[in-house]
Amino acid sequence: MDAIRIPKVSNVLYSKSGGTSPGTLHLTAHHLIFSYTNASQSEMWVAYPLINLVTRLPQTLSGQCPISFRCRTFETFSLSFERDAEATDVFESVKELTVANSVTRLYAFYYTPTPPLSASDGWTLYSPREEFGRMGVGTRSKAWRFTDINKDFTFCPSYPARLVVPTKISDSTLYYGVKYRSKGRMPALSYLHWANFGSITRSSQPMVGLTNARSIQDEKIVEATFTSHLTPESRVSQPVFGATATNLIIDARPTTNAVANTAKGAGTENMDHYKDCKKAYLGIDNIHQMRDSLNKVVEALRESEALAASVSGDIPGTSGAVLPVDRQALRRSGWLRHQVAILEGTLVIVRNIHVNHSHVLIHCSDGWDRTSQLSAVSQLCLDPYYRTTRGFEVLIEKDFLSFGHRFLDRCGHLSSEKFFLAPVDSGGGGADVAQALFASVQNRFSGNHHIKETSPVFHQFLEAVRNIQRQFPGRFEFNELFLRDLHTHLYSCQFGTFLFNSERDRRESMGCTVSVWDYMNSSPQAERYINPDYNPALDDPASRAQNADQGVLLPNPKDVRFWHELYGRGDEEMNGRYTATPAPLPTVGVVESLDEDPALLETNLVPVSQSPTPNLAFSTPPSAPSPSPAPVRTPSPLAPVSRLARPAPADLFGSAGGSMRSMWDRLSSGAGAALSVVQDAYGNARDARSWSGSGSGELQDWSGATPPRGASPSILTSSPPLSRFEPPRITQAVRSSTFSGFSPGTGIGTGPISGNPWAMSPAASREADGMPSVLVANPWNTARVQSGRPPLGNAFGVEEMAAALPSPLSSARADRLGGFPADPTVALPAAADSSKAFAPLPSPSSASARNAGAVPPHIPTSPSLLLSSSSSSLTGVAGMAPKSPETSSEEMDPLGVGIL
């Protein structure tokens, strides 16, 4: 009581959400109480541990001295005082009462319910023998046994006193194997599936280190776990046909985190030493990333309140103006991305156990944060019992409380002076300012180490449960209010359930505090938590209804939304309009051997293998579209694509006949794509003349006929063309001037029968209807022929190239093959005769141009001729027809890029 400088303050204005009410403030040892002047309103009680941030604000224009309070339940209110001395005393008193230096100073050690609660079995709600016996340990399956090796908590201080391990493993093996796991958290059973003896075991990371250490005992424990369903004592009826055994070691961390921990002496499993199993990384970030992500969500809410206050002129957080939250800022926080990662990992575990009839070992770094989340959420989906009120309480007791989730560190119950902000008053002189600054710096570097360990791990678990509850509203006995009140009492410190880091610490205070389950299971609270839509018949495993799922839920990772009731906002305000999409099968990169482990490859512990891409378990088929990276929302929150799948190597060789994909096929594909871009960019389409010159406006199918000159160069190869490498056919009509003829021997345009889709006739640029010419507005045309300047010779023609080669080519072959168009950026050899490479360009309307036939290309035998022939054929595709000296710049190559 010495910390209370002023126990009562009258004429205080309480402001929240635009409403202001006068009343009286009372400060007690554990609560801040505000009594309204209007007797019809009930008092407001706020436990000090719920206060997250207290800020002294400047004096208002009306002379009020406000203090702003922000709670861990995302509520904001302010108290305005008439005198500055009262505000100072209240601020200092609340700071002294909130910042506790010991757990025993918290409200739970002084709370006595009046009247007594009707339920009193909260501390004995969970019994390991009863719960694992319900699963079938010792009855349905003899492959598991109880051990009291940790009864005095010396074997592993953070583990429960009673563990369930494989029957094949003796306690002496456990003594040796425990040294190989971080913090001594060896693999222990967490769940045994009711249908097929599939199991969920949990542990911490192995101590591999840079020396690539191994433990035979740990390998035997994992092997016994993954073969527990094969023991003759287990009454397994018959194998399920179609089910594939895919025992998984789930590493919840990103690969980079596993690499970093290897340098610290820990790391991840070497899959060459663990038999009959695979490994998958889930990529869930650590506690620091989760804390920063939630802080960004809170900051987005705070900015919305500050903006509303600036509009209305009120105190931040108390304005009645309704302004929407910046949903882009909410998306940038990454909070929903972390939720998606948890649900995707849950879906992998649920499918592997229920569908594949296999086992899963889950671990992260220390095995008490992400491991608890994945294990609990997976069991919630697998077992309908955990979706009842009592079953959900047992699940939290088992996977969070008994297995050592560090509630004291993660929730920050002891708080810190860091969360109390007051302006520095310079009126007292420089000495006072310097003393205040020194105290602030000292406070920052001392006594705040526990703040770095805070993280909303359990809050994240509750929000994941809320998302599943929203997707399956009739499958939970409890409602949303049950989860919200549970989140409130997580930070209120009114009960002793969530005050400690381990079962060992909790046992010492069971007789001194009240369990939160006693409060929530007593009247009238229990009636408020009942879900009216709950239908237990939907979980009947014997049901043969059309939508029956045997009570196993498969949540949709894309259907993830903010828990808007918890944040005190509207659904559409935080999430926008939402349309759920079907749940895709998550893509998880599975590690089968040491050579395929990306974590070990990055540490250069083993040479990189040139083996094929590892098999992807639970991946979508190649023909199916990849899952969308974000749910359909306007705007939609980010749902990142799984970073775990390893990309397949490029297919450089064809599957038919083992022939290599031709380079010219790629060029042809690029030409076809570029043509589509040009057609879409310039004007309306008109009927095009056919390849045969009939003027039908349709492109001729070359599958059963001899392709004209200028067709896809893939026909030059000796092996059959690969259909999957051919460019897509163009079915839309284009302007009649798009096609210009080619002379079979010279490569000079002769009319619309040519296979050059880009060579334009002189009349094409002057179409009727005022349509602008493609060539006039072509931004890619770099070839400009100036008037009065003779054109350069065809630098790529066969005769010119023959002049530059050591062994010249025959003129007969050169006349038969033709050449590429002139490139003004390439100088001609001195011996080249440019006049031979050009011929006058006939009029597009001439009869000879319309009736000229396409001549099939000649297949040369010499490598140099093959290059020339292929280049000549490519000219017809790329539209590089040579131009006459009289041709204007409009009639040059539309793209002007030369060889593609």
Side-chain angles (χ1 to χ4, degrees):
M1 297 297 293
D2 297 337
I4 302 178
R5 299 187 178 185
I6 179 169
K8 179 181 178 180
V9 182
S10 302
N11 299 326
V12 178
L13 296 179
Y14 169 78
S15 302
K16 180 181 179 181
S17 301
T20 302
S21 302
T24 303
L25 177 67
H26 301 269
L27 297 181
T28 66
H30 304 288
H31 287 86
L32 181 151
I33 306 173
F34 183 81
S35 300
Y36 294 93
T37 303
N38 187 359
S40 61
Q41 295 178 289
S42 59
E43 295 179 341
M44 182 197 69
W45 289 54
V46 178
Y48 293 128
L50 282 177
I51 298 175
N52 187 35
L53 183 67
V54 181
T55 307
R56 284 281 312 273
L57 300 176
Q59 190 176 22
T60 63
L61 296 178
S62 59
Q64 297 289 330
C65 301
I67 301 178
S68 175
F69 294 84
R70 183 175 295 275
C71 300
R72 297 175 185 263
T73 55
F74 306 99
E75 296 177 347
T76 302
F77 64 92
S78 68
L79 300 175
S80 299
F81 303 90
E82 294 180 345
R83 292 185 294 273
D84 183 77
E86 295 177 343
T88 302
D89 290 341
V90 169
F91 179 83
E92 295 296 334
S93 299
V94 172
K95 182 172 69 174
E96 292 291 333
L97 295 170
T98 303
V99 180
N101 55 11
S102 173
V103 180
T104 56
R105 289 188 53 188
L106 297 176
Y107 178 47
F109 288 87
Y110 301 90
Y111 169 67
T112 302
T114 305
L117 301 174
S118 59
S120 58
D121 61 341
W123 290 119
T124 59
L125 180 71
Y126 166 67
S127 171
R129 186 168 293 276
E130 293 179 3
E131 177 58 21
F132 286 102
R134 183 193 66 84
M135 299 179 191
V137 175
T139 55
R140 292 191 307 119
S141 175
K142 302 293 184 181
W144 301 90
R145 68 179 180 90
F146 290 95
T147 177
D148 294 328
I149 193 174
N150 197 39
K151 61 181 179 181
D152 55 355
F153 301 103
T154 57
F155 180 77
C156 179
S158 60
Y159 257 16
R162 178 163 293 178
L163 299 171
V164 180
V165 296
T167 305
K168 297 180 181 180
I169 303 301
S170 63
D171 285 355
S172 60
T173 304
L174 297 178
Y175 272 113
Y176 284 100
V178 72
K179 302 175 183 178
Y180 188 66
R181 293 284 172 171
S182 175
K183 305 294 192 298
R185 298 173 65 87
M186 62 160 199
L189 181 68
S190 180
Y191 174 70
L192 185 66
H193 195 35
W194 52 268
N196 53 29
F197 296 96
S199 65
I200 296 179
T201 50
R202 53 182 296 171
S203 68
S204 60
Q205 62 182 338
M207 306 301 292
V208 179
L210 297 176
T211 60
N212 200 16
R214 60 180 295 191
S215 171
I216 302 298
Q217 291 78 14
D218 184 80
E219 296 165 11
K220 292 296 183 182
I221 295 173
V222 175
E223 181 181 1
T225 298
F226 288 164
T227 58
S228 59
H229 63 287
L230 302 178
T231 58
E233 293 83 3
S234 298
R235 302 187 186 96
V236 181
S237 56
Q238 290 182 354
V240 179
F241 296 98
T244 304
T246 55
N247 300 321
L248 284 179
I249 296 178
I250 297 292
D251 194 332
R253 303 167 295 178
T255 308
T256 54
N257 293 26
V259 175
N261 287 328
T262 301
K264 299 178 182 179
T268 186
E269 289 85 357
N270 185 338
M271 296 310 296
D272 286 349
H273 303 152
Y274 292 87
K275 301 178 181 179
D276 300 327
C277 62
K278 303 174 183 178
K279 181 170 61 176
Y281 296 94
L282 297 185
I284 303 176
D285 290 322
N286 56 28
I287 60 173
H288 310 292
Q289 296 293 330
M290 302 301 178
R291 179 180 63 246
D292 296 341
S293 179
L294 184 61
N295 288 340
K296 292 178 181 178
V297 174
V298 175
E299 186 64 26
L301 299 176
R302 184 185 306 173
E303 289 178 358
S304 174
E305 296 171 353
L307 182 59
S310 63
V311 172
S312 60
D314 297 330
I315 299 173
T318 64
S319 174
V322 179
L323 293 179
V325 183
D326 185 4
R327 289 201 294 269
Q328 295 296 330
L330 293 178
R331 293 177 59 192
R332 289 192 298 267
S333 68
W335 183 252
L336 289 186
R337 178 171 59 85
H338 299 314
Q339 289 287 323
V340 168
I342 293 175
L343 291 187
E344 284 181 344
T346 299
L347 196 58
V348 170
I349 297 171
V350 171
R351 288 184 183 274
N352 196 57
I353 292 177
H354 185 69
V355 179
N356 294 339
H357 295 238
S358 304
H359 306 271
V360 174
L361 169 62
I362 309 173
H363 73 77
C364 50
S365 294
D366 294 324
W368 50 45
D369 293 318
R370 289 164 282 191
T371 302
S372 297
Q373 290 176 335
L374 292 170
S375 177
V377 177
S378 300
Q379 296 175 52
L380 188 81
C381 297
L382 285 168
D383 199 334
Y385 171 70
Y386 293 129
R387 297 194 289 271
T388 63
T389 302
R390 185 176 183 87
F392 187 71
E393 295 168 355
V394 170
L395 178 65
I396 294 175
E397 284 278 347
K398 175 171 64 71
D399 274 272
F400 280 92
L401 295 170
S402 67
F403 272 99
H405 176 65
R406 306 180 70 83
F407 280 98
L408 179 62
D409 293 343
R410 299 295 179 258
C411 298
H413 291 317
L414 301 182
S415 191
S416 172
E417 294 184 359
K418 176 183 177 181
F419 303 123
F420 291 81
L421 306 177
V424 178
D425 187 10
S426 59
D432 294 340
V433 174
Q435 183 178 2
L437 180 61
F438 176 76
S440 176
V441 173
Q442 184 181 15
N443 187 31
R444 179 178 296 273
F445 288 97
S446 64
N448 292 331
H449 175 72
H450 64 282
I451 300 300
K452 299 179 181 179
E453 296 297 320
T454 59
S455 183
V457 175
F458 193 74
H459 167 200
Q460 201 170 34
F461 161 73
L462 293 178
E463 191 154 350
V465 173
R466 172 56 189 157
N467 275 290
I468 300 176
Q469 184 188 56
R470 181 181 45 79
Q471 295 181 25
F472 303 93
R475 313 301 283 273
F476 290 80
E477 186 181 10
F478 51 89
N479 55 17
E480 182 271 337
L481 181 61
F482 177 84
L483 298 176
R484 197 167 1 131
D485 283 359
L486 192 59
H487 176 272
T488 299
H489 293 300
L490 171 67
Y491 296 103
S492 68
C493 298
Q494 183 176 352
F495 306 99
T497 306
F498 304 122
L499 294 185
F500 302 97
N501 289 333
S502 64
E503 182 179 302
R504 181 185 65 173
D505 300 338
R506 193 174 298 104
R507 281 193 173 187
E508 300 174 356
S509 62
M510 283 185 178
C512 305
T513 59
V514 179
S515 172
V516 68
W517 312 126
D518 291 340
Y519 169 78
M520 304 189 77
N521 294 334
S522 301
S523 298
Q525 303 298 329
E527 288 76 13
R528 298 173 58 237
Y529 299 144
I530 296 177
N531 179 16
D533 299 328
Y534 177 59
N535 184 7
L538 298 175
D539 296 325
D540 185 8
S543 176
R544 295 298 180 264
Q546 182 178 2
N547 297 327
D549 52 15
Q550 295 185 321
V552 177
L553 306 182
L554 298 177
N556 184 359
K558 287 183 172 295
D559 188 5
V560 174
R561 303 159 80 175
F562 283 101
W563 189 1
H564 65 94
E565 297 94 345
L566 177 65
Y567 300 108
R569 301 298 179 114
D571 186 14
E572 188 171 347
E573 181 182 1
M574 293 197 70
N575 299 298
R577 296 185 180 181
Y578 186 83
T579 302
T581 57
L585 201 60
T587 302
V588 176
V590 176
V591 180
E592 299 184 9
S593 64
L594 176 64
D595 296 341
E596 299 171 357
D597 193 341
L600 298 181
L601 291 178
E602 294 183 16
T603 57
N604 297 324
L605 296 181
V606 294
V608 179
S609 174
Q610 299 297 330
S611 59
T613 303
N615 182 25
L616 296 179
F618 316 114
S619 61
T620 56
S623 59
S626 59
S628 174
V632 182
R633 180 181 292 120
T634 309
S636 61
L638 291 178
V641 177
S642 176
R643 71 190 73 173
L644 306 174
R646 300 175 63 184
D651 185 10
L652 300 178
F653 298 91
S655 58
S659 59
M660 185 175 181
R661 178 180 178 181
S662 174
M663 184 182 82
W664 305 112
D665 286 315
R666 299 184 182 181
L667 296 175
S668 178
S669 301
L675 174 59
S676 300
V677 173
V678 172
Q679 292 173 353
D680 293 340
Y682 294 98
N684 300 323
R686 296 187 178 182
D687 293 337
R689 301 178 182 178
S690 66
W691 293 100
S692 60
S694 59
S696 60
E698 298 292 337
L699 298 181
Q700 181 179 352
D701 187 4
W702 300 344
S703 59
T706 302
R709 191 171 188 85
S712 174
S714 62
I715 62 176
L716 297 178
T717 59
S718 58
S719 60
L722 301 180
S723 60
R724 64 192 182 100
F725 291 145
E726 293 178 357
R729 287 178 180 165
I730 304 170
T731 58
Q732 68 269 26
V734 293
R735 289 182 290 178
S736 58
S737 60
T738 303
F739 301 99
S740 178
F742 241 58
S743 175
T746 63
I748 304 302
T750 58
I753 63 170
S754 169
N756 183 4
W758 292 344
M760 306 296 292
S761 63
S765 61
R766 303 173 182 86
E767 290 285 350
D769 305 329
M771 179 64 62
S773 172
V774 176
L775 303 180
V776 174
N778 182 12
W780 295 334
N781 192 359
T782 58
R784 306 296 183 192
V785 179
Q786 301 177 2
S787 59
R789 176 184 176 183
L792 296 175
N794 188 359
F796 292 90
V798 174
E799 292 185 308
E800 287 74 13
M801 188 176 295
L805 293 175
S807 105
L809 303 175
S810 63
S811 60
R813 290 183 177 177
D815 294 338
R816 184 169 63 252
L817 294 177
F820 276 167
D823 188 347
T825 62
V826 178
L828 290 175
D833 186 3
S834 59
S835 62
K836 295 181 181 181
F838 287 86
L841 181 64
S843 173
S845 60
S846 64
S848 61
R850 289 194 302 267
N851 299 327
V855 179
H858 174 72
I859 301 178
T861 58
S862 172
S864 59
L865 291 182
L866 177 62
L867 173 63
S868 177
S869 178
S870 301
S871 304
S872 175
S873 184
L874 178 65
T875 306
V877 178
M880 304 301 295
K883 305 300 177 182
S884 62
E886 294 79 16
T887 304
S888 64
S889 62
E890 296 180 354
E891 299 167 350
M892 295 300 292
D893 170 26
L895 296 182
V897 294
I899 301 178
L900 294 179

